[in-house]
Amino acid sequence: MAGETTCWAQQGHQVICVEGDKKTTQISKRAAGLDGVGSALALHHKALGKVFEVRCLHIPVRDRTPFEGLVTIVEKTVRLEHASSPNKPIYLVGDSFGGCLVLATAAHNPEIDLVVILANPATSFDRSQLQPLFPLSEAWPDELYNAVPYLLSFIMGDPVKMARVNIDHRLPRRLQIEQLFQNLIALLPCLSDLVDIVPKDTLIWKLKLLKSAASYTNSRIHAVKAEVLVLSSGNDYMLPSGDEAQRLKSSLKNCTVRYFKDNGHTILLEDGVNLLTVIKGTGKYRRSRTINFVTDFVPPSMSEFKYGYDELVGLLSFATGSAMFSTLDDGKIVKGLHGVPNEGPVLFVGNHMLMGLEACSLVLEFLRERNIMVHGIAHPDVLREREWVSSPEFSFTDWMKVMGAVPVTASNLFKLLSTKSHVLLYPGGARESLHHRGEEYRLFWPDQQEFVRMAARFGATIVPFGTVGKDDIAELVLDYKDLMKIPVLNDYIRNATSSSIRIRDKSKGEVANQELYLPGLLPKLPGRFYFLFGKPIATKGRKEEILKDRENAKQLYLHIKSEVEGCIAYLLKKREEDPYRNIVDRTVYHALHSPLHEVPAFDP
């Protein structure tokens, strides 16, 4: 019912922004609801504007254009944009009523490359929880109608979540509460304006328009060929959005769903939902007909970095208190990341700890200390869509994509190095991160030297590194061998991994044949993660030497492996000298002296 529809694109993309009830890019700050002023875009247009050119469609309050006429207006703009740049995607975002509008447009234009994003679409209007009340709308006395906008505004969205928007969660709790009350009070005048924005006759018209829009669109859903992303709220009291998301997923050929269990109908106006972040995390942002994980990557914003640092790995960062060390060109080990080259391409090659817990801390620390974006090369199964999950939430996997993770393929590594990126590679892969008991800190690397030859091709600097600390976080009590001895559970593991993506030839040994599973862990009182980045190894000027002579490539490969093992051995020995290895000691120091990342460790 909020009727916002947005369509846009960036850097040569097809660009349109259709806002359910607007024909300009002006953004209203009024609360969303039946007003039709396009306020759902208010929290997102600045972020979107950095990546897209945003345009809006406005339907004046007194306008009585039927639904088919509105579809025609949107179609005309879409076709004009497509004609100007036929190889670029056009993004259409529909919120509630706008969801009907953009789906109908997509159904009429299957030949145009469209990415359709739906926020609680009103295609389920005929099953609305408030359906019994709508036939009585014409009989409402004017005195009662004055209270309707207030009632609907509170039904459609969560006022507290709206008021929490833009409150800095790093502030002391007292200041957060003060800002929350101030924002709640500021919402009240906006709600009172709704009576003037949506008079009674307009409300009656919009309800009829919604009914016809849902009917018209549902009869044409079978013709939609576009890529679709549905954002579904768990606390939508206007529409059965959860069930509708599942219906659309089963009805549309290329549909992804993200479920936000704590949000209401006006999801785009509530705290905790960043539209651009969702687009990036679900892999929907692209500049051409197919996504390129490297060239289509948009670096995380400051707000995304803060959320990742505070919320996603906040507890892990607090528990592990990562201590970073690096090696200068002269071989001297120093605190921090000063020994790591600024200019790419740089290839970080190191050991995986249990379940790859160290990767998140590494990526975020490079952003915090050096403002360097490190692209992690991840197993494709980790990043791919979980088709068997009925209501997938925006997950940690999605955030990995936001923070630069890409599937491990030769082509992706080629593209990253060719764009002079900083790349994080674990040759041991799943076999190393899912090692067995008694195999702590052992390297399980393949015999091939593919990454060495690729690095030499682009003159990349290789930085070997070691990480320790997993044994201070948890004890591995059930490994793969143990789990496969348990009836039923072993069949579950076989079935779950039967469809997993094989990234290496099975003939390459155990490093290529690791099944994916969750080991049994026993948590321990946290110790600390330690990282040591070894002396950078330059391959610039050695292209011919390494590419043409496999023996040279092998020797360099073995040297890198030896350096990683040396870094691990150094850290295992030196961490015994750290007075703040235990979380209790670090917490006390942090409370008395400094931020968590400044708690000292051993002297290198």
Side-chain angles (χ1 to χ4, degrees):
M1 307 245 313
E4 287 83 75
T5 318
T6 317
C7 159
W8 69 87
Q10 180 257 352
Q11 291 182 9
H13 276 171
Q14 308 293 2
V15 192
I16 317 164
C17 177
V18 182
E19 267 256 345
D21 294 5
K22 273 180 120 167
K23 278 185 185 173
T24 70
T25 54
Q26 179 181 356
I27 304 299
S28 170
K29 296 299 182 182
R30 292 187 174 95
L34 297 177
D35 54 353
V37 297
S39 53
L41 194 64
L43 300 179
H44 307 276
H45 73 284
K46 287 185 178 179
L48 293 173
K50 296 177 181 178
V51 211
F52 297 104
E53 181 183 339
V54 183
R55 304 184 189 178
C56 307
L57 168 70
H58 166 57
I59 306 171
V61 172
R62 298 297 179 183
D63 185 273
R64 295 296 183 263
T65 304
F67 182 70
E68 293 89 338
L70 296 177
V71 174
T72 300
I73 293 172
V74 178
E75 276 190 282
K76 182 179 180 180
T77 309
V78 167
R79 289 173 179 174
L80 285 173
E81 293 294 338
H82 176 67
S84 65
S85 300
N87 297 320
K88 303 294 183 179
I90 300 174
Y91 283 69
L92 298 171
V93 179
D95 173 27
S96 194
F97 165 75
C100 297
L101 189 54
V102 299
L103 275 177
T105 301
H108 288 181
N109 299 273
E111 75 286 356
I112 297 179
D113 184 13
L114 298 175
V115 180
V116 174
I117 301 169
L118 309 173
N120 297 324
T123 45
S124 63
F125 181 70
D126 61 335
R127 291 175 281 124
S128 170
Q129 293 90 317
L130 302 181
Q131 189 68 236
L133 299 178
F134 294 144
L136 304 176
S137 58
E138 296 186 42
W140 287 336
D142 293 339
E143 295 80 7
L144 175 61
Y145 178 73
N146 290 338
V148 169
Y150 288 95
L151 175 63
L152 290 179
S153 293
F154 280 90
I155 292 175
M156 292 171 67
D158 185 338
V160 175
K161 277 192 169 291
M162 293 182 188
R164 286 175 56 190
V165 170
N166 294 330
I167 293 179
D168 189 347
H169 299 287
R170 296 187 178 191
L171 291 174
R173 183 65 61 181
R174 178 182 60 82
L175 294 179
Q176 290 187 39
I177 294 174
E178 287 180 6
Q179 286 193 12
L180 177 63
F181 276 104
Q182 291 173 3
N183 291 349
L184 282 170
I185 294 172
L187 279 176
L188 296 178
C190 299
L191 298 180
S192 65
D193 288 344
L194 295 178
V195 177
D196 299 323
I197 297 170
V198 187
K200 182 179 177 180
D201 62 328
T202 297
L203 174 62
I204 294 172
W205 166 255
K206 285 182 177 289
L207 293 176
K208 293 178 179 178
L209 186 64
L210 273 169
K211 184 175 182 180
S212 66
S215 176
Y216 183 96
T217 304
N218 283 322
S219 67
R220 291 162 175 79
I221 276 184
H222 64 278
V224 174
K225 308 295 183 186
E227 186 177 1
V228 179
L229 170 63
V230 182
L231 313 186
S232 171
S233 294
N235 291 331
D236 189 344
Y237 302 119
M238 287 290 293
L239 300 171
S241 293
D243 292 341
E244 181 64 3
Q246 296 309 311
R247 184 184 77 89
L248 291 174
K249 184 175 178 64
S250 62
S251 302
L252 298 170
K253 295 181 179 180
N254 186 7
C255 181
T256 301
V257 172
R258 284 298 178 271
Y259 183 65
F260 297 83
K261 62 180 181 180
D262 298 323
N263 289 89
H265 182 72
T266 52
I267 184 172
L268 297 181
L269 272 177
E270 298 177 4
D271 183 46
V273 180
N274 184 305
L275 186 53
L276 181 58
T277 301
V278 175
I279 292 171
K280 295 192 296 182
T282 51
K284 300 302 179 186
Y285 180 73
R286 53 187 172 87
R287 292 181 171 89
S288 60
R289 285 194 172 271
T290 57
I291 186 171
N292 185 314
F293 290 102
V294 177
T295 59
D296 288 336
F297 175 70
V298 178
S301 65
M302 180 56 70
S303 62
E304 288 170 339
F305 166 73
K306 288 181 178 178
Y307 183 86
Y309 204 89
D310 294 341
E311 303 295 330
L312 290 181
V313 298
L315 181 59
L316 180 64
S317 295
F318 175 77
T320 60
S322 298
M324 299 278 180
F325 299 87
S326 59
T327 309
L328 303 179
D329 288 336
D330 61 4
K332 181 181 179 181
I333 297 176
V334 296
K335 296 179 181 178
L337 302 172
H338 306 294
V340 175
N342 281 321
E343 299 297 325
V346 175
L347 185 62
F348 298 103
V349 181
N351 66 303
H352 244 326
M353 290 206 293
L354 188 63
M355 297 182 66
L357 292 176
E358 77 290 340
C360 296
S361 297
L362 187 154
V363 171
L364 288 171
E365 280 298 322
F366 267 91
L367 274 172
R368 183 193 64 79
E369 184 177 332
R370 296 289 303 277
N371 196 28
I372 291 176
M373 184 73 245
V374 176
H375 292 270
I377 301 289
H379 194 290
D381 273 337
V382 175
L383 298 178
R384 73 173 175 172
E385 189 72 19
R386 297 294 190 266
E387 297 294 340
W388 59 86
V389 180
S390 60
S391 298
E393 298 183 41
F394 195 78
S395 64
F396 185 76
T397 297
D398 295 321
W399 274 101
M400 288 177 64
K401 298 174 188 175
V402 174
M403 301 308 292
V406 301
V408 56
T409 65
S411 62
N412 281 338
L413 181 57
F414 182 96
K415 293 172 186 175
L416 285 168
L417 294 178
S418 67
T419 55
K420 298 185 178 181
S421 302
H422 287 67
V423 186
L424 175 61
L425 177 67
Y426 295 100
R431 177 62 182 90
E432 207 166 84
S433 66
L434 296 173
H435 60 257
H436 304 158
R437 290 200 313 275
E439 295 179 343
E440 292 79 8
Y441 303 122
R442 280 183 55 189
L443 300 186
F444 293 89
W445 289 17
D447 295 331
Q448 288 68 31
Q449 312 98 33
E450 297 99 331
F451 75 82
V452 171
R453 296 166 62 82
M454 186 79 77
R457 181 186 184 95
F458 295 99
T461 301
I462 299 175
V463 179
F465 73 92
T467 313
V468 304
K470 62 190 175 189
D471 51 338
D472 275 355
I473 301 298
E475 181 180 354
L476 178 60
V477 293
L478 291 174
D479 61 18
Y480 178 75
K481 295 178 181 177
D482 298 320
L483 294 175
M484 293 305 289
K485 295 177 183 178
I486 302 175
V488 180
L489 187 58
N490 54 12
D491 289 334
Y492 176 80
I493 294 175
R494 291 191 190 99
N495 293 334
T497 58
S498 61
S499 60
S500 63
I501 300 173
R502 295 288 182 178
I503 60 176
R504 288 182 172 128
D505 189 328
K506 290 185 178 182
S507 65
K508 302 270 169 97
E510 64 173 339
V511 72
N513 290 288
Q514 175 63 52
E515 302 289 348
L516 301 181
Y517 71 100
L518 288 177
L521 302 176
L522 182 64
K524 299 169 66 175
L525 186 67
R528 196 172 197 178
F529 282 178
Y530 301 87
F531 296 79
L532 172 59
F533 295 88
K535 184 177 179 181
I537 302 171
T539 66
K540 190 173 183 179
R542 301 179 63 186
K543 180 178 178 179
E544 298 298 321
E545 168 192 345
I546 295 174
L547 290 182
K548 291 185 176 182
D549 191 330
R550 288 191 172 274
E551 184 59 31
N552 284 335
K554 180 179 180 181
Q555 291 304 315
L556 179 56
Y557 178 81
L558 294 176
H559 173 64
I560 294 168
K561 185 176 182 181
S562 176
E563 287 292 300
V564 173
E565 291 172 332
C567 290
I568 294 172
Y570 176 89
L571 292 173
L572 288 174
K573 178 181 178 181
K574 293 292 290 186
R575 70 175 177 174
E576 301 296 334
E577 303 174 11
D578 184 3
Y580 302 104
R581 178 177 171 183
N582 187 282
I583 188 174
V584 177
D585 297 321
R586 289 199 306 276
T587 302
V588 172
Y589 186 94
H590 166 57
L592 296 176
H593 300 285
S594 65
L596 188 62
H597 63 266
E598 294 182 7
V599 176
F602 56 79
D603 291 325

